[in-house]
Amino acid sequence: MRRLKPEDFLSGLRKGWTYHRGRWGSGYEGIEAVEARRGPFALWDGQGESEQGASANAGVRIEGRIRLHTASEGGGVTFRARAEGVSLAGYEVALDPRVGRLSLLRHDAKEARELASASARIDVDRWHRVKVEAAGPRIRVWLDGAVDPLIDHPDPDPLPASG
């Protein structure tokens, strides 16, 4: 039986990124299904040595574009993240075009839980601009050039800033 490699699950840049399978549940009649909110993910390898000992108070700012394929159920941006086996530990800004929702998730070894969410127009097959700022416990998220953040949430027990 041939097993797919982690990089087979996602399209994107290969150099400088490490791909992970995510968590998959038990199969039914030989067909496996990915666990909701625990799917495949990729992490950037570009973390500098100076960031490795960063405290939770250090800030991070991410700006970029994301385009969801018409066959996808959603996508997202991870930060302050690391792999724990096949699972993600860290934060994720998730875009769900099916229900028109932008969510801030916190992943740990056991579960992914939603910290905050906002209604948003999220179209598939269109580029969306995403901006994330995390400074100490405060996490803010903008979508498509909005002046005010759609999500502004303090995590009382913030994850470390590195990753």
Side-chain angles (χ1 to χ4, degrees), residues 17-23 37-47 51-52 54 56 62 77-92 105-111 155 157-163:
W17 291 82
T18 303
Y19 287 77
H20 304 271
R21 293 187 80 240
R23 290 174 64 178
R37 294 187 173 171
R38 307 296 280 182
F41 60 97
L43 297 174
W44 180 49
D45 296 332
Q47 177 175 309
E51 296 172 333
Q52 297 207 12
I62 301 166
V77 176
T78 60
F79 58 100
R80 291 186 180 171
R82 66 186 183 287
E84 287 188 355
V86 296
S87 296
L88 172 73
Y91 294 105
E92 176 186 6
L105 307 173
R106 181 177 171 148
H107 295 266
D108 64 25
K110 303 245 187 256
E111 68 178 344
D155 186 348
D157 185 25
L159 294 169
S162 62

mmCIF file of all heavy atoms in Angstrom, residues 17-23 37-47 51-52 54 56 62 77-92 105-111 155 157-163:
data_model
loop_
_atom_site.group_PDB
_atom_site.id
_atom_site.type_symbol
_atom_site.label_atom_id
_atom_site.label_comp_id
_atom_site.label_asym_id
_atom_site.label_seq_id
_atom_site.Cartn_x
_atom_site.Cartn_y
_atom_site.Cartn_z
ATOM 1 N N TRP A 17 10.236 25.005 3.757
ATOM 2 C CA TRP A 17 9.020 24.627 4.473
ATOM 3 C C TRP A 17 9.070 23.142 4.821
ATOM 4 O O TRP A 17 9.599 22.337 4.058
ATOM 5 C CB TRP A 17 7.782 24.890 3.621
ATOM 6 C CG TRP A 17 7.530 26.343 3.414
ATOM 7 C CD1 TRP A 17 8.123 27.152 2.486
ATOM 8 C CD2 TRP A 17 6.649 27.173 4.149
ATOM 9 N NE1 TRP A 17 7.653 28.437 2.607
ATOM 10 C CE2 TRP A 17 6.748 28.477 3.608
ATOM 11 C CE3 TRP A 17 5.773 26.947 5.199
ATOM 12 C CZ2 TRP A 17 6.004 29.536 4.111
ATOM 13 C CZ3 TRP A 17 5.030 28.016 5.687
ATOM 14 C CH2 TRP A 17 5.156 29.287 5.147
ATOM 15 N N THR A 18 8.491 22.788 5.959
ATOM 16 C CA THR A 18 8.350 21.392 6.351
ATOM 17 C C THR A 18 6.856 21.079 6.409
ATOM 18 O O THR A 18 6.095 21.794 7.064
ATOM 19 C CB THR A 18 8.985 21.138 7.736
ATOM 20 O OG1 THR A 18 10.356 21.524 7.683
ATOM 21 C CG2 THR A 18 8.882 19.679 8.126
ATOM 22 N N TYR A 19 6.472 20.016 5.716
ATOM 23 C CA TYR A 19 5.062 19.631 5.622
ATOM 24 C C TYR A 19 4.753 18.486 6.587
ATOM 25 O O TYR A 19 5.595 17.623 6.836
ATOM 26 C CB TYR A 19 4.733 19.224 4.181
ATOM 27 C CG TYR A 19 4.671 20.410 3.256
ATOM 28 C CD1 TYR A 19 5.824 21.027 2.790
ATOM 29 C CD2 TYR A 19 3.449 20.935 2.873
ATOM 30 C CE1 TYR A 19 5.766 22.137 1.966
ATOM 31 C CE2 TYR A 19 3.378 22.042 2.043
ATOM 32 C CZ TYR A 19 4.536 22.635 1.596
ATOM 33 O OH TYR A 19 4.460 23.729 0.784
ATOM 34 N N HIS A 20 3.516 18.486 7.109
ATOM 35 C CA HIS A 20 3.085 17.485 8.087
ATOM 36 C C HIS A 20 1.708 16.953 7.688
ATOM 37 O O HIS A 20 0.864 17.708 7.194
ATOM 38 C CB HIS A 20 3.030 18.092 9.486
ATOM 39 C CG HIS A 20 4.335 18.694 9.906
ATOM 40 N ND1 HIS A 20 5.303 17.974 10.555
ATOM 41 C CD2 HIS A 20 4.848 19.938 9.731
ATOM 42 C CE1 HIS A 20 6.353 18.749 10.778
ATOM 43 N NE2 HIS A 20 6.093 19.950 10.283
ATOM 44 N N ARG A 21 1.456 15.669 7.936
ATOM 45 C CA ARG A 21 0.217 14.997 7.527
ATOM 46 C C ARG A 21 -1.023 15.467 8.288
ATOM 47 O O ARG A 21 -2.134 15.351 7.806
ATOM 48 C CB ARG A 21 0.312 13.480 7.756
ATOM 49 C CG ARG A 21 1.289 12.763 6.909
ATOM 50 C CD ARG A 21 1.200 11.245 7.086
ATOM 51 N NE ARG A 21 0.079 10.748 6.300
ATOM 52 C CZ ARG A 21 -0.952 10.101 6.814
ATOM 53 N NH1 ARG A 21 -1.027 9.857 8.091
ATOM 54 N NH2 ARG A 21 -1.935 9.688 6.018
ATOM 55 N N GLY A 22 -0.872 15.899 9.522
ATOM 56 C CA GLY A 22 -2.038 16.170 10.358
ATOM 57 C C GLY A 22 -2.546 14.866 10.948
ATOM 58 O O GLY A 22 -1.947 13.806 10.777
ATOM 59 N N ARG A 23 -3.683 14.942 11.634
ATOM 60 C CA ARG A 23 -4.251 13.762 12.287
ATOM 61 C C ARG A 23 -5.410 13.212 11.475
ATOM 62 O O ARG A 23 -6.286 13.954 11.051
ATOM 63 C CB ARG A 23 -4.710 14.118 13.697
ATOM 64 C CG ARG A 23 -3.509 14.393 14.595
ATOM 65 C CD ARG A 23 -3.885 14.886 15.942
ATOM 66 N NE ARG A 23 -4.634 13.890 16.698
ATOM 67 C CZ ARG A 23 -5.045 14.095 17.936
ATOM 68 N NH1 ARG A 23 -4.797 15.232 18.531
ATOM 69 N NH2 ARG A 23 -5.712 13.172 18.582
ATOM 70 N N ARG A 37 -10.312 20.244 11.864
ATOM 71 C CA ARG A 37 -9.395 21.239 12.434
ATOM 72 C C ARG A 37 -8.024 20.675 12.811
ATOM 73 O O ARG A 37 -7.264 21.313 13.517
ATOM 74 C CB ARG A 37 -10.005 21.931 13.658
ATOM 75 C CG ARG A 37 -11.196 22.778 13.320
ATOM 76 C CD ARG A 37 -11.631 23.562 14.514
ATOM 77 N NE ARG A 37 -12.673 24.508 14.153
ATOM 78 C CZ ARG A 37 -13.363 25.207 15.018
ATOM 79 N NH1 ARG A 37 -13.121 25.088 16.296
ATOM 80 N NH2 ARG A 37 -14.272 26.053 14.610
ATOM 81 N N ARG A 38 -7.698 19.475 12.364
ATOM 82 C CA ARG A 38 -6.411 18.864 12.693
ATOM 83 C C ARG A 38 -5.719 18.352 11.427
ATOM 84 O O ARG A 38 -4.953 17.414 11.464
ATOM 85 C CB ARG A 38 -6.595 17.702 13.676
ATOM 86 C CG ARG A 38 -7.365 18.045 14.938
ATOM 87 C CD ARG A 38 -6.680 19.046 15.784
ATOM 88 N NE ARG A 38 -5.648 18.372 16.544
ATOM 89 C CZ ARG A 38 -4.884 18.962 17.416
ATOM 90 N NH1 ARG A 38 -5.001 20.237 17.646
ATOM 91 N NH2 ARG A 38 -3.958 18.312 18.066
ATOM 92 N N GLY A 39 -6.009 18.967 10.285
ATOM 93 C CA GLY A 39 -5.522 18.498 9.001
ATOM 94 C C GLY A 39 -4.072 18.799 8.710
ATOM 95 O O GLY A 39 -3.322 19.286 9.580
ATOM 96 N N PRO A 40 -3.652 18.513 7.495
ATOM 97 C CA PRO A 40 -2.268 18.760 7.075
ATOM 98 C C PRO A 40 -1.885 20.223 7.255
ATOM 99 O O PRO A 40 -2.716 21.120 7.141
ATOM 100 C CB PRO A 40 -2.283 18.374 5.596
ATOM 101 C CG PRO A 40 -3.439 17.450 5.450
ATOM 102 C CD PRO A 40 -4.461 17.935 6.425
ATOM 103 N N PHE A 41 -0.585 20.450 7.530
ATOM 104 C CA PHE A 41 -0.093 21.812 7.717
ATOM 105 C C PHE A 41 1.367 21.883 7.309
ATOM 106 O O PHE A 41 2.049 20.864 7.210
ATOM 107 C CB PHE A 41 -0.285 22.278 9.171
ATOM 108 C CG PHE A 41 0.431 21.443 10.197
ATOM 109 C CD1 PHE A 41 1.676 21.825 10.688
ATOM 110 C CD2 PHE A 41 -0.131 20.269 10.677
ATOM 111 C CE1 PHE A 41 2.336 21.057 11.636
ATOM 112 C CE2 PHE A 41 0.526 19.492 11.628
ATOM 113 C CZ PHE A 41 1.759 19.888 12.106
ATOM 114 N N ALA A 42 1.820 23.097 7.051
ATOM 115 C CA ALA A 42 3.221 23.342 6.697
ATOM 116 C C ALA A 42 3.763 24.419 7.622
ATOM 117 O O ALA A 42 3.060 25.373 7.963
ATOM 118 C CB ALA A 42 3.321 23.800 5.247
ATOM 119 N N LEU A 43 5.025 24.263 8.017
ATOM 120 C CA LEU A 43 5.685 25.237 8.885
ATOM 121 C C LEU A 43 6.934 25.759 8.190
ATOM 122 O O LEU A 43 7.690 24.986 7.598
ATOM 123 C CB LEU A 43 6.065 24.610 10.224
ATOM 124 C CG LEU A 43 4.904 24.117 11.083
ATOM 125 C CD1 LEU A 43 5.423 23.387 12.308
ATOM 126 C CD2 LEU A 43 3.999 25.266 11.483
ATOM 127 N N TRP A 44 7.148 27.048 8.292
ATOM 128 C CA TRP A 44 8.312 27.706 7.705
ATOM 129 C C TRP A 44 9.543 27.349 8.520
ATOM 130 O O TRP A 44 9.531 27.394 9.757
ATOM 131 C CB TRP A 44 8.075 29.211 7.687
ATOM 132 C CG TRP A 44 9.188 30.015 7.114
ATOM 133 C CD1 TRP A 44 9.849 29.807 5.937
ATOM 134 C CD2 TRP A 44 9.758 31.199 7.682
ATOM 135 N NE1 TRP A 44 10.793 30.783 5.742
ATOM 136 C CE2 TRP A 44 10.763 31.645 6.799
ATOM 137 C CE3 TRP A 44 9.526 31.909 8.840
ATOM 138 C CZ2 TRP A 44 11.519 32.776 7.046
ATOM 139 C CZ3 TRP A 44 10.279 33.036 9.071
ATOM 140 C CH2 TRP A 44 11.263 33.458 8.185
ATOM 141 N N ASP A 45 10.628 27.010 7.832
ATOM 142 C CA ASP A 45 11.877 26.640 8.491
ATOM 143 C C ASP A 45 12.757 27.838 8.809
ATOM 144 O O ASP A 45 13.837 27.669 9.362
ATOM 145 C CB ASP A 45 12.698 25.693 7.600
ATOM 146 C CG ASP A 45 11.993 24.377 7.377
ATOM 147 O OD1 ASP A 45 11.201 23.956 8.231
ATOM 148 O OD2 ASP A 45 12.236 23.758 6.320
ATOM 149 N N GLY A 46 12.327 29.045 8.501
ATOM 150 C CA GLY A 46 13.171 30.226 8.587
ATOM 151 C C GLY A 46 13.328 30.844 9.949
ATOM 152 O O GLY A 46 13.803 31.956 10.062
ATOM 153 N N GLN A 47 12.961 30.161 11.010
ATOM 154 C CA GLN A 47 13.092 30.732 12.358
ATOM 155 C C GLN A 47 14.562 30.957 12.664
ATOM 156 O O GLN A 47 15.369 30.056 12.560
ATOM 157 C CB GLN A 47 12.471 29.782 13.370
ATOM 158 C CG GLN A 47 12.624 30.268 14.800
ATOM 159 C CD GLN A 47 11.902 29.356 15.752
ATOM 160 O OE1 GLN A 47 10.747 29.056 15.542
ATOM 161 N NE2 GLN A 47 12.570 28.905 16.789
ATOM 162 N N GLU A 51 15.230 34.005 17.705
ATOM 163 C CA GLU A 51 13.828 33.828 18.050
ATOM 164 C C GLU A 51 13.602 32.604 18.932
ATOM 165 O O GLU A 51 12.573 32.486 19.569
ATOM 166 C CB GLU A 51 12.992 33.662 16.777
ATOM 167 C CG GLU A 51 12.994 34.879 15.888
ATOM 168 C CD GLU A 51 12.315 34.589 14.563
ATOM 169 O OE1 GLU A 51 12.303 33.429 14.139
ATOM 170 O OE2 GLU A 51 11.800 35.530 13.962
ATOM 171 N N GLN A 52 14.544 31.677 18.964
ATOM 172 C CA GLN A 52 14.295 30.414 19.630
ATOM 173 C C GLN A 52 14.035 30.567 21.114
ATOM 174 O O GLN A 52 13.295 29.786 21.684
ATOM 175 C CB GLN A 52 15.438 29.452 19.355
ATOM 176 C CG GLN A 52 15.509 29.169 17.879
ATOM 177 C CD GLN A 52 16.120 27.829 17.577
ATOM 178 O OE1 GLN A 52 16.288 27.019 18.456
ATOM 179 N NE2 GLN A 52 16.422 27.610 16.333
ATOM 180 N N ALA A 54 12.612 33.255 22.454
ATOM 181 C CA ALA A 54 11.727 34.411 22.590
ATOM 182 C C ALA A 54 10.672 34.180 23.659
ATOM 183 O O ALA A 54 10.182 33.081 23.853
ATOM 184 C CB ALA A 54 11.049 34.700 21.246
ATOM 185 N N ALA A 56 6.863 35.040 25.491
ATOM 186 C CA ALA A 56 5.499 35.201 24.992
ATOM 187 C C ALA A 56 5.166 36.664 24.752
ATOM 188 O O ALA A 56 4.203 36.981 24.073
ATOM 189 C CB ALA A 56 4.501 34.585 25.977
ATOM 190 N N ILE A 62 2.499 39.166 10.679
ATOM 191 C CA ILE A 62 2.469 38.383 9.451
ATOM 192 C C ILE A 62 1.506 39.060 8.500
ATOM 193 O O ILE A 62 0.373 39.372 8.880
ATOM 194 C CB ILE A 62 1.978 36.945 9.723
ATOM 195 C CG1 ILE A 62 2.888 36.253 10.722
ATOM 196 C CG2 ILE A 62 1.889 36.150 8.426
ATOM 197 C CD1 ILE A 62 2.303 34.975 11.286
ATOM 198 N N VAL A 77 -3.608 30.339 8.337
ATOM 199 C CA VAL A 77 -2.231 30.755 8.588
ATOM 200 C C VAL A 77 -1.910 30.370 10.025
ATOM 201 O O VAL A 77 -2.664 30.700 10.946
ATOM 202 C CB VAL A 77 -2.081 32.286 8.415
ATOM 203 C CG1 VAL A 77 -0.682 32.735 8.770
ATOM 204 C CG2 VAL A 77 -2.466 32.709 7.020
ATOM 205 N N THR A 78 -0.790 29.662 10.220
ATOM 206 C CA THR A 78 -0.369 29.280 11.560
ATOM 207 C C THR A 78 0.764 30.182 12.025
ATOM 208 O O THR A 78 1.542 30.685 11.219
ATOM 209 C CB THR A 78 0.093 27.812 11.616
ATOM 210 O OG1 THR A 78 1.188 27.640 10.719
ATOM 211 C CG2 THR A 78 -1.021 26.869 11.235
ATOM 212 N N PHE A 79 0.851 30.394 13.320
ATOM 213 C CA PHE A 79 1.931 31.195 13.893
ATOM 214 C C PHE A 79 2.123 30.777 15.349
ATOM 215 O O PHE A 79 1.261 30.128 15.933
ATOM 216 C CB PHE A 79 1.653 32.695 13.774
ATOM 217 C CG PHE A 79 0.376 33.149 14.433
ATOM 218 C CD1 PHE A 79 0.401 33.745 15.684
ATOM 219 C CD2 PHE A 79 -0.852 32.991 13.795
ATOM 220 C CE1 PHE A 79 -0.769 34.174 16.290
ATOM 221 C CE2 PHE A 79 -2.022 33.406 14.401
ATOM 222 C CZ PHE A 79 -1.980 33.994 15.645
ATOM 223 N N ARG A 80 3.298 31.152 15.898
ATOM 224 C CA ARG A 80 3.692 30.667 17.219
ATOM 225 C C ARG A 80 3.431 29.162 17.268
ATOM 226 O O ARG A 80 2.857 28.641 18.214
ATOM 227 C CB ARG A 80 2.938 31.374 18.338
ATOM 228 C CG ARG A 80 3.316 32.831 18.512
ATOM 229 C CD ARG A 80 2.643 33.446 19.714
ATOM 230 N NE ARG A 80 3.028 34.843 19.854
ATOM 231 C CZ ARG A 80 2.467 35.678 20.716
ATOM 232 N NH1 ARG A 80 1.509 35.276 21.520
ATOM 233 N NH2 ARG A 80 2.862 36.921 20.784
ATOM 234 N N ALA A 81 3.845 28.471 16.212
ATOM 235 C CA ALA A 81 3.478 27.073 16.024
ATOM 236 C C ALA A 81 4.696 26.170 15.922
ATOM 237 O O ALA A 81 5.770 26.597 15.508
ATOM 238 C CB ALA A 81 2.629 26.946 14.760
ATOM 239 N N ARG A 82 4.460 24.921 16.262
ATOM 240 C CA ARG A 82 5.468 23.878 16.119
ATOM 241 C C ARG A 82 4.722 22.560 15.912
ATOM 242 O O ARG A 82 3.549 22.439 16.252
ATOM 243 C CB ARG A 82 6.378 23.814 17.343
ATOM 244 C CG ARG A 82 5.683 23.373 18.596
ATOM 245 C CD ARG A 82 6.561 23.454 19.842
ATOM 246 N NE ARG A 82 5.875 22.954 21.001
ATOM 247 C CZ ARG A 82 4.899 23.552 21.658
ATOM 248 N NH1 ARG A 82 4.476 24.735 21.264
ATOM 249 N NH2 ARG A 82 4.335 23.016 22.713
ATOM 250 N N ALA A 83 5.430 21.576 15.398
ATOM 251 C CA ALA A 83 4.849 20.251 15.221
ATOM 252 C C ALA A 83 5.055 19.450 16.498
ATOM 253 O O ALA A 83 6.107 19.516 17.120
ATOM 254 C CB ALA A 83 5.496 19.540 14.047
ATOM 255 N N GLU A 84 4.026 18.725 16.878
ATOM 256 C CA GLU A 84 4.109 17.756 17.974
ATOM 257 C C GLU A 84 3.649 16.434 17.382
ATOM 258 O O GLU A 84 2.454 16.167 17.309
ATOM 259 C CB GLU A 84 3.247 18.168 19.157
ATOM 260 C CG GLU A 84 3.810 19.336 19.928
ATOM 261 C CD GLU A 84 3.056 19.615 21.221
ATOM 262 O OE1 GLU A 84 2.023 18.967 21.496
ATOM 263 O OE2 GLU A 84 3.512 20.500 21.963
ATOM 264 N N GLY A 85 4.617 15.651 16.909
ATOM 265 C CA GLY A 85 4.278 14.438 16.167
ATOM 266 C C GLY A 85 3.640 14.845 14.851
ATOM 267 O O GLY A 85 4.205 15.647 14.111
ATOM 268 N N VAL A 86 2.452 14.339 14.568
ATOM 269 C CA VAL A 86 1.749 14.713 13.339
ATOM 270 C C VAL A 86 0.792 15.882 13.567
ATOM 271 O O VAL A 86 0.128 16.329 12.641
ATOM 272 C CB VAL A 86 0.962 13.514 12.744
ATOM 273 C CG1 VAL A 86 1.904 12.413 12.318
ATOM 274 C CG2 VAL A 86 -0.087 12.999 13.720
ATOM 275 N N SER A 87 0.718 16.378 14.803
ATOM 276 C CA SER A 87 -0.223 17.449 15.135
ATOM 277 C C SER A 87 0.466 18.802 15.231
ATOM 278 O O SER A 87 1.669 18.893 15.440
ATOM 279 C CB SER A 87 -0.904 17.153 16.474
ATOM 280 O OG SER A 87 -1.687 15.999 16.389
ATOM 281 N N LEU A 88 -0.333 19.836 15.126
ATOM 282 C CA LEU A 88 0.109 21.218 15.247
ATOM 283 C C LEU A 88 -0.144 21.696 16.664
ATOM 284 O O LEU A 88 -1.205 21.448 17.236
ATOM 285 C CB LEU A 88 -0.682 22.090 14.268
ATOM 286 C CG LEU A 88 -0.503 23.597 14.368
ATOM 287 C CD1 LEU A 88 0.865 23.983 13.825
ATOM 288 C CD2 LEU A 88 -1.598 24.310 13.600
ATOM 289 N N ALA A 89 0.828 22.399 17.230
ATOM 290 C CA ALA A 89 0.645 23.094 18.500
ATOM 291 C C ALA A 89 0.926 24.561 18.212
ATOM 292 O O ALA A 89 2.001 24.908 17.734
ATOM 293 C CB ALA A 89 1.593 22.554 19.560
ATOM 294 N N GLY A 90 -0.041 25.425 18.434
ATOM 295 C CA GLY A 90 0.131 26.842 18.152
ATOM 296 C C GLY A 90 -1.200 27.489 17.820
ATOM 297 O O GLY A 90 -2.271 26.953 18.108
ATOM 298 N N TYR A 91 -1.113 28.660 17.201
ATOM 299 C CA TYR A 91 -2.313 29.402 16.808
ATOM 300 C C TYR A 91 -2.547 29.257 15.311
ATOM 301 O O TYR A 91 -1.608 29.072 14.534
ATOM 302 C CB TYR A 91 -2.148 30.895 17.118
ATOM 303 C CG TYR A 91 -2.065 31.223 18.588
ATOM 304 C CD1 TYR A 91 -0.851 31.568 19.168
ATOM 305 C CD2 TYR A 91 -3.203 31.203 19.387
ATOM 306 C CE1 TYR A 91 -0.763 31.887 20.512
ATOM 307 C CE2 TYR A 91 -3.121 31.523 20.738
ATOM 308 C CZ TYR A 91 -1.898 31.859 21.292
ATOM 309 O OH TYR A 91 -1.815 32.173 22.620
ATOM 310 N N GLU A 92 -3.800 29.403 14.924
ATOM 311 C CA GLU A 92 -4.174 29.400 13.509
ATOM 312 C C GLU A 92 -5.272 30.424 13.274
ATOM 313 O O GLU A 92 -6.219 30.510 14.053
ATOM 314 C CB GLU A 92 -4.686 28.019 13.081
ATOM 315 C CG GLU A 92 -5.172 27.972 11.647
ATOM 316 C CD GLU A 92 -5.813 26.651 11.266
ATOM 317 O OE1 GLU A 92 -6.004 25.775 12.140
ATOM 318 O OE2 GLU A 92 -6.154 26.504 10.080
ATOM 319 N N LEU A 105 -7.929 30.096 16.201
ATOM 320 C CA LEU A 105 -7.906 28.806 16.881
ATOM 321 C C LEU A 105 -6.617 28.650 17.674
ATOM 322 O O LEU A 105 -5.573 29.176 17.285
ATOM 323 C CB LEU A 105 -7.990 27.657 15.872
ATOM 324 C CG LEU A 105 -9.136 27.679 14.879
ATOM 325 C CD1 LEU A 105 -8.968 26.575 13.858
ATOM 326 C CD2 LEU A 105 -10.465 27.552 15.595
ATOM 327 N N ARG A 106 -6.707 27.899 18.753
ATOM 328 C CA ARG A 106 -5.524 27.524 19.524
ATOM 329 C C ARG A 106 -5.451 25.999 19.511
ATOM 330 O O ARG A 106 -6.376 25.320 19.943
ATOM 331 C CB ARG A 106 -5.609 28.045 20.953
ATOM 332 C CG ARG A 106 -4.372 27.676 21.754
ATOM 333 C CD ARG A 106 -4.423 28.243 23.147
ATOM 334 N NE ARG A 106 -3.331 27.694 23.933
ATOM 335 C CZ ARG A 106 -2.719 28.355 24.899
ATOM 336 N NH1 ARG A 106 -3.091 29.578 25.205
ATOM 337 N NH2 ARG A 106 -1.743 27.794 25.570
ATOM 338 N N HIS A 107 -4.346 25.486 18.980
ATOM 339 C CA HIS A 107 -4.132 24.039 18.891
ATOM 340 C C HIS A 107 -3.198 23.591 20.001
ATOM 341 O O HIS A 107 -2.201 24.248 20.280
ATOM 342 C CB HIS A 107 -3.464 23.680 17.557
ATOM 343 C CG HIS A 107 -4.288 23.957 16.355
ATOM 344 N ND1 HIS A 107 -5.086 23.008 15.775
ATOM 345 C CD2 HIS A 107 -4.438 25.079 15.613
ATOM 346 C CE1 HIS A 107 -5.695 23.527 14.717
ATOM 347 N NE2 HIS A 107 -5.317 24.781 14.602
ATOM 348 N N ASP A 108 -3.527 22.464 20.621
ATOM 349 C CA ASP A 108 -2.568 21.794 21.490
ATOM 350 C C ASP A 108 -2.601 20.321 21.129
ATOM 351 O O ASP A 108 -3.272 19.919 20.178
ATOM 352 C CB ASP A 108 -2.839 22.062 22.979
ATOM 353 C CG ASP A 108 -4.165 21.507 23.480
ATOM 354 O OD1 ASP A 108 -4.681 20.536 22.892
ATOM 355 O OD2 ASP A 108 -4.687 22.030 24.482
ATOM 356 N N ALA A 109 -1.879 19.502 21.867
ATOM 357 C CA ALA A 109 -1.745 18.096 21.508
ATOM 358 C C ALA A 109 -3.089 17.364 21.478
ATOM 359 O O ALA A 109 -3.260 16.416 20.730
ATOM 360 C CB ALA A 109 -0.789 17.399 22.467
ATOM 361 N N LYS A 110 -4.050 17.802 22.260
ATOM 362 C CA LYS A 110 -5.315 17.086 22.368
ATOM 363 C C LYS A 110 -6.445 17.637 21.501
ATOM 364 O O LYS A 110 -7.289 16.897 21.033
ATOM 365 C CB LYS A 110 -5.777 17.073 23.820
ATOM 366 C CG LYS A 110 -4.778 16.472 24.774
ATOM 367 C CD LYS A 110 -5.334 15.232 25.367
ATOM 368 C CE LYS A 110 -4.413 14.714 26.451
ATOM 369 N NZ LYS A 110 -3.646 13.602 26.089
ATOM 370 N N GLU A 111 -6.478 18.974 21.312
ATOM 371 C CA GLU A 111 -7.634 19.558 20.628
ATOM 372 C C GLU A 111 -7.281 20.880 19.959
ATOM 373 O O GLU A 111 -6.235 21.464 20.212
ATOM 374 C CB GLU A 111 -8.774 19.789 21.628
ATOM 375 C CG GLU A 111 -8.443 20.871 22.651
ATOM 376 C CD GLU A 111 -9.570 21.162 23.619
ATOM 377 O OE1 GLU A 111 -10.715 20.767 23.362
ATOM 378 O OE2 GLU A 111 -9.299 21.805 24.641
ATOM 379 N N ASP A 155 -5.303 36.351 24.749
ATOM 380 C CA ASP A 155 -5.245 34.989 25.270
ATOM 381 C C ASP A 155 -4.610 35.108 26.661
ATOM 382 O O ASP A 155 -3.449 35.502 26.781
ATOM 383 C CB ASP A 155 -4.394 34.098 24.362
ATOM 384 C CG ASP A 155 -4.436 32.638 24.784
ATOM 385 O OD1 ASP A 155 -4.931 32.344 25.903
ATOM 386 O OD2 ASP A 155 -3.974 31.784 24.021
ATOM 387 N N ASP A 157 -3.366 33.058 28.630
ATOM 388 C CA ASP A 157 -2.200 32.193 28.814
ATOM 389 C C ASP A 157 -1.527 32.018 27.461
ATOM 390 O O ASP A 157 -1.603 30.943 26.856
ATOM 391 C CB ASP A 157 -2.638 30.836 29.395
ATOM 392 C CG ASP A 157 -1.468 29.937 29.717
ATOM 393 O OD1 ASP A 157 -0.361 30.456 29.954
ATOM 394 O OD2 ASP A 157 -1.670 28.713 29.712
ATOM 395 N N PRO A 158 -0.877 33.068 26.942
ATOM 396 C CA PRO A 158 -0.351 33.015 25.564
ATOM 397 C C PRO A 158 0.748 31.977 25.367
ATOM 398 O O PRO A 158 1.515 31.699 26.289
ATOM 399 C CB PRO A 158 0.190 34.424 25.335
ATOM 400 C CG PRO A 158 0.494 34.949 26.689
ATOM 401 C CD PRO A 158 -0.516 34.308 27.614
ATOM 402 N N LEU A 159 0.758 31.441 24.172
ATOM 403 C CA LEU A 159 1.816 30.503 23.794
ATOM 404 C C LEU A 159 3.111 31.262 23.574
ATOM 405 O O LEU A 159 3.084 32.458 23.284
ATOM 406 C CB LEU A 159 1.420 29.775 22.493
ATOM 407 C CG LEU A 159 0.205 28.862 22.613
ATOM 408 C CD1 LEU A 159 -0.254 28.428 21.228
ATOM 409 C CD2 LEU A 159 0.521 27.662 23.480
ATOM 410 N N PRO A 160 4.268 30.589 23.685
ATOM 411 C CA PRO A 160 5.542 31.268 23.433
ATOM 412 C C PRO A 160 5.578 31.874 22.035
ATOM 413 O O PRO A 160 4.948 31.375 21.108
ATOM 414 C CB PRO A 160 6.570 30.141 23.557
ATOM 415 C CG PRO A 160 5.901 29.102 24.381
ATOM 416 C CD PRO A 160 4.432 29.200 24.069
ATOM 417 N N ALA A 161 6.341 32.957 21.884
ATOM 418 C CA ALA A 161 6.360 33.705 20.632
ATOM 419 C C ALA A 161 7.133 33.011 19.526
ATOM 420 O O ALA A 161 6.941 33.324 18.371
ATOM 421 C CB ALA A 161 6.939 35.095 20.872
ATOM 422 N N SER A 162 8.021 32.084 19.842
ATOM 423 C CA SER A 162 8.796 31.461 18.780
ATOM 424 C C SER A 162 7.950 30.432 18.034
ATOM 425 O O SER A 162 6.983 29.905 18.557
ATOM 426 C CB SER A 162 10.054 30.799 19.350
ATOM 427 O OG SER A 162 9.689 29.780 20.247
ATOM 428 N N GLY A 163 8.331 30.159 16.801
ATOM 429 C CA GLY A 163 7.650 29.146 16.003
ATOM 430 C C GLY A 163 6.788 29.733 14.938
ATOM 431 O O GLY A 163 6.308 30.823 15.018
#
